[in-house]
Amino acid sequence: MLYSLFEWFKEAGVKFPGSALFQFITSRVLIAVILSLVISAVFGKKLINYLRKRQVGESVRDLGLAGEQQKKGTPTMGGLIIILAILVPTLLLADLNKAYIRVMIFTTIWLGIVGFIDDYLKLRAKRIAQQQGIPYKKGDKDGLAGWFKVLGQVVLGIVVGTVLMFNDNTKVWREYTGVVKPGDTTIIKRTLDGQAKYFVEANEPITTIPFVKSHEFNYSKLLPEALRGFTWILYVVVVIFIITAVSNGANITDGIDGLAGGVSAIIGACLGIFAYASGNLRFAEYLNIMYIPNLGELSIFIGALIGACVGFLWYNAYPAQVFMGDTGSLTLGGIIAALAIIVRKELLIPIFCGVFLVEVLSVTLQVSYFKYTKKKYGEGRRIFLMSPLHHHYQKLGYHEAKIVTRFWIVTILCIVFAIVTLKIR
């Protein structure tokens, strides 16, 4: 909004002191980071006090973990802090006419609503139990039904996939190696280091693939020649799967103070690097990755995301004063997935989202092995002392703060490796 306002003033010939800052993306990114931090700090404290007054406290399962009973009654729904700290700077500082910005705003609001409903239903179940004088035990069936969450993620996947496939403002540039005819307006010429390069715009389902020379993979290659006209359907299905997987991965990771928020902030920084490299023709040429125009504005959203997560850690770091709940974890996972898909780096998700992946695998392996051994031996056996993986380390006696810090370090290593893959062939 402020960006559009100052652009209007500029076109009208009206100048204000400091208005030039809004002409540069780097300035707006820095302002977005600072503003999101301020919003998190100011609004966060007020929200925590409000939630405490309304007795919107977390119910803790008796899992036999150290310090878990001290968490009982800690306010939840803190994800509202993150959502507000992302949306306000984005709405004020970004160009809202850009398709990528609109997609990310929709992603944030949509999954925020899904997560909020889930948290609200859980709190309502707790209050009903208290009114009836029944001891309340937190359960998986208190909130939204699992299929409803998946439905929300599917809808988001359809929106993101179709926009990237059919919107004219989400095209990528591919290097043109054919014969350039004079007057051909479909060929885009750019000069890099004195050498002419030719490109064509394309709405194709292509992505970056690590460890191969060309660094590009077209999803149409997965289908026979006769069915390649339906590649967009395959692409949307892939997008739905990625958004569902990463969103649920972030939700599972949100189990101890500061873990999901810190990991998400670090991954956001990684996606910011990818967006900058892919949105800069010179860097894209150097790294031999596809150039994606119009990604510049996305860095403002990413800056707000990083600031929101870091600001939230002020209250969520051990010992937590507030939990993000599904309102925050589902939203953060969906945002990370959507950003990775937009910058065409979704096949690198298993690397830079390695912590999310390991957490999901630990639950999957634990449940599968327990069911298998119970059927075979009549008694369920476990691989881990408890899943997800962070609870396994808690059972081993590690302090929450140490587990979180080491998971952050692992995430940084995963990100470094993901970036290095762009040059490993």
Side-chain angles (χ1 to χ4, degrees), residues 355 398 400-412:
V355 168
Y398 289 89
E400 279 190 47
K402 178 166 285 190
I403 297 170
V404 169
T405 303
R406 290 184 175 178
F407 273 49
W408 288 356
I409 294 171
V410 170
T411 302
I412 293 171

Side-chain angles (χ1 to χ4, degrees), residues 62-115:
D62 187 7
L63 301 176
L65 298 172
E68 66 177 9
Q69 294 308 312
Q70 283 77 12
K71 298 177 184 290
K72 190 174 292 185
T74 302
T76 187
M77 286 190 182
L80 292 171
I81 301 172
I82 298 174
I83 292 172
L84 189 69
I86 291 173
L87 289 179
V88 172
T90 301
L91 292 173
L92 289 176
L93 301 169
D95 184 355
L96 303 181
N97 293 317
K98 299 296 184 183
Y100 294 135
I101 291 294
R102 293 184 177 186
V103 166
M104 293 315 305
I105 290 174
F106 175 79
T107 299
T108 305
I109 295 175
W110 179 256
L111 284 182
I113 291 172
V114 173

Side-chain angles (χ1 to χ4, degrees), residues 125-147:
K126 176 185 174 183
R127 286 178 178 174
I128 291 174
Q130 289 175 341
Q131 290 171 0
Q132 295 176 349
I134 303 172
Y136 175 75
K137 291 185 178 181
K138 184 178 178 181
D140 296 328
K141 296 182 180 180
D142 294 338
L144 279 177
W147 66 268

Side-chain angles (χ1 to χ4, degrees), residues 15 38 111 125 163 200 242 253 381:
K15 293 184 179 180
V38 171
L111 284 182
V163 168
V200 290
I242 292 171
T253 303
R381 301 176 184 176

